[in-house]
Amino acid sequence: MSELEYLGKPLAYLDQNILDLFTEPQCLLKKDSELFNFLKNEVQVVYSPTTLEEIYRSVINGKSSVYGLAFLDVLKELNAHFITLITENGEVTNTIFRSWEEPLIHFNQYVENNYLNQFVHPLRNNLFAIFGGIKDFKKLENEQINNLNNLLIFLESSLNFLESCEDKDEYILSEIEKYKVEIPKLRMQQKEYESFVQLSIQHLEDVNKDQSAHRNFRDSLKIDLNNLKKIEFPNVLIQIWEMLQQNNIELDNLELDDFFQLKKRFNLESDFYVFQKVNQIYTMLNMIGYYQDEGIHKKEKRFIASFSDMSHASYACFCDYLFTRDKNFSLKVRVAYEYLSIATQVVNIQINTNP
C-alpha cells in the first residue's frame, strides 16, 4: 500500500477501549458495524507506542498471545497507521513519524526494544507516589539510584559495540564522538544525582505520612468535588481556576498557567510543546479530583492505565479525532484541548452492554 492511498483522510486516534469493541471474547460490535466501517473508510485510523504497550501488557498480565494478536488484527483490518514522536539528540520533538507498515511489524519492534522501558518506569513511580501508591520509599529510592547506573552501563556497552563495528558511516562516527564526551559527564554527575534522589524521595515520604500527597493537596485547596462536577463547557479550565482562587486567597497573585505548570521553567531551554501541556493539564485535573481516573491511588495497574490515557491524549492532539468509551477520560481531554485551542474532536462512543 502506498502513502498516496491515505492522503486526504482525517486522522482518527483510537483509545484502547475502542479496539476492545471488536475483539473476542466480548466483541460488542461486529466488523460490519457502522462504527467499524466509518473507521475503515471515512477516516485514517492511527495508533501509537502507547497502544502497543497496552497490547503487550494485555498479554503479559495473564491473557494469551492470541488475545494480543486480536488487537493487532483489528488495527490491520482498519489499515491503521503507526505514529510516534520523533526524537533528536535525545530530546522529544513536536513532530510525529508516520508509518503504514503492518501493526505486527511495529509490535515486534516494540517487544524487541521493550527493555529500554526499564529506564522510564522508576521515574514514573514518582507520580504514583504522589497519588499514595508507593509504600516502600526506600525501595523506590534504590530503584531510581540504580536506574542511572544501569542506564550508564547500557550506554557504555552500546558505545563499545559501536566502536567495535568494522563499517562505520559518518553518523555512527559522530555518535561515538558525542557519547565519548557525554557519558563521562554523566558519570561525574552521578553522586549529585543520588543526593537529589534521596532528598526527593524523602520529601515524597514526608508528604505521604498522614494521607496521600494528592489528598493533602486537595484539602489544602478546599476543593469540593461536587462543585467541580457542576462546571459546564465552555471555558471549563478557566472556571475551575476561578473557583480555586475564590477559595484560596494565596492564589490571587498566581496565574492559571503557573498553577497548571504550563509555563517555561527557568532551567528549560524552550517552552513546553502543546502535547506536553496536555499531559500537564491532564495530571493536574486528576490531582484536584476533576473526574479523577478510578483506583489510581490503590493499584499500580490502574495508575499505569491512567498514565497511558494521558499519553493517548497527547498523541491524539496531532489528529482530527479521538475516539474513546471512557467518559472521565474524555472530559479531562476536552478541558485540556479547549484551553489549548486544540482542534481535535473528542468522540465518546456509548455502547449498550445490557442483554
Side-chain angles (χ1 to χ4, degrees):
M1 295 182 183
S2 69
E3 185 178 13
L4 291 174
E5 293 180 60
Y6 301 102
L7 290 178
K9 282 187 177 182
L11 299 186
Y13 189 96
L14 305 187
D15 192 1
Q16 193 73 12
N17 51 48
I18 297 297
L19 297 180
D20 280 330
L21 289 173
F22 308 109
T23 53
E24 299 291 350
Q26 66 274 19
C27 199
L28 298 176
L29 287 179
K30 301 295 183 182
K31 291 176 184 176
D32 60 356
S33 64
E34 184 179 349
L35 176 60
F36 193 89
N37 285 324
F38 175 83
L39 294 174
K40 183 173 183 178
N41 300 315
E42 303 302 322
V43 297
Q44 177 55 61
V45 169
V46 296
Y47 63 100
S48 72
T50 306
T51 311
L52 299 177
E53 180 185 4
E54 291 197 303
I55 294 173
Y56 181 72
R57 283 205 309 267
S58 74
V59 176
I60 64 173
N61 287 340
K63 297 183 179 178
S64 70
S65 58
V66 174
Y67 186 78
L69 288 172
F71 287 118
L72 297 173
D73 286 341
V74 171
L75 290 171
K76 181 179 179 180
E77 291 187 53
L78 290 172
N79 300 319
H81 285 184
F82 175 72
I83 61 171
T84 188
L85 288 159
I86 294 175
T87 301
E88 292 180 355
N89 298 321
E91 297 291 332
V92 175
T93 69
N94 196 38
T95 307
I96 58 170
F97 164 79
R98 181 175 167 190
S99 167
W100 53 95
E101 289 191 282
E102 288 193 8
L104 182 59
I105 293 175
H106 289 291
F107 181 72
N108 286 336
Q109 290 173 346
Y110 171 83
V111 174
E112 288 173 6
N113 293 298
N114 187 51
Y115 64 92
L116 294 174
N117 287 329
Q118 65 181 305
F119 303 124
V120 177
H121 291 164
L123 297 176
R124 184 172 64 188
N125 280 337
N126 277 349
L127 184 58
F128 190 34
I130 291 174
F131 282 100
I134 298 295
K135 305 305 177 187
D136 189 341
F137 286 92
K138 190 63 181 178
K139 179 182 177 182
L140 179 62
E141 177 186 313
N142 291 334
E143 284 177 349
Q144 297 204 359
I145 288 175
N146 292 335
N147 187 49
L148 177 60
N149 190 54
N150 292 336
L151 177 59
L152 288 170
I153 291 172
F154 170 75
L155 291 174
E156 288 164 347
S157 64
S158 299
L159 176 59
N160 290 335
F161 172 77
L162 289 176
E163 289 182 315
S164 68
C165 292
E166 292 185 4
D167 297 323
K168 303 184 185 72
D169 58 24
E170 289 186 9
Y171 174 76
I172 291 178
L173 289 171
S174 67
E175 290 296 291
I176 289 173
E177 292 307 311
K178 180 175 73 174
Y179 284 106
K180 276 185 175 180
V181 175
E182 293 300 323
I183 293 174
K185 282 184 182 178
L186 290 171
R187 278 292 182 197
M188 290 177 65
Q189 295 170 353
Q190 195 167 359
K191 289 297 181 183
E192 182 181 350
Y193 172 78
E194 290 177 5
S195 298
F196 172 79
V197 167
Q198 289 166 351
L199 288 172
S200 175
I201 300 304
Q202 184 60 57
H203 176 69
L204 282 172
E205 185 173 8
D206 290 343
V207 297
N208 278 282
K209 272 187 178 176
D210 299 322
Q211 61 177 348
S212 63
H214 83 290
R215 294 284 186 187
N216 288 328
F217 182 65
R218 287 181 199 173
D219 290 348
S220 70
L221 292 171
K222 300 180 282 291
I223 292 173
D224 186 320
L225 297 183
N226 290 324
N227 287 339
L228 270 182
K229 290 184 177 181
K230 292 177 183 176
I231 297 176
E232 297 181 353
F233 288 89
N235 302 319
V236 173
L237 198 66
I238 293 173
Q239 292 184 67
I240 290 174
W241 177 237
E242 289 174 348
M243 177 183 292
L244 292 174
Q245 284 187 309
Q246 288 172 6
N247 295 332
N248 301 275
I249 192 171
E250 65 273 17
L251 299 180
D252 283 349
N253 296 322
L254 197 66
E255 295 182 6
L256 183 155
D257 283 10
D258 291 315
F259 180 82
F260 285 91
Q261 301 178 24
L262 306 179
K263 282 190 173 180
K264 173 183 176 181
R265 285 179 253 167
F266 69 91
N267 59 339
L268 293 179
E269 294 181 0
S270 59
D271 289 331
F272 290 122
Y273 295 125
V274 170
F275 75 87
Q276 293 171 319
K277 293 181 180 182
V278 169
N279 291 346
Q280 300 288 82
I281 292 175
Y282 192 94
T283 299
M284 287 299 292
L285 289 175
N286 263 334
M287 284 280 291
I288 65 175
Y290 180 80
Y291 291 97
Q292 178 189 311
D293 296 331
E294 296 180 1
I296 57 178
H297 61 293
K298 295 180 181 179
K299 296 182 179 180
E300 186 176 14
K301 179 180 177 181
R302 287 302 310 144
F303 169 76
I304 292 173
S306 175
F307 197 88
S308 293
D309 284 344
M310 179 185 70
S311 181
H312 285 315
S314 63
Y315 272 111
C317 73
F318 292 95
C319 304
D320 299 279
Y321 297 99
L322 166 59
F323 285 82
T324 183
R325 293 169 55 208
D326 186 333
K327 178 184 175 183
N328 289 0
F329 167 68
S330 66
L331 284 168
K332 287 192 289 289
V333 175
R334 285 180 61 201
V335 170
Y337 285 3
E338 179 192 46
Y339 182 74
L340 298 170
S341 298
I342 296 171
T344 306
Q345 296 182 50
V346 181
V347 183
N348 197 328
I349 302 294
Q350 297 298 316
I351 301 294
N352 185 2
T353 58
N354 295 324

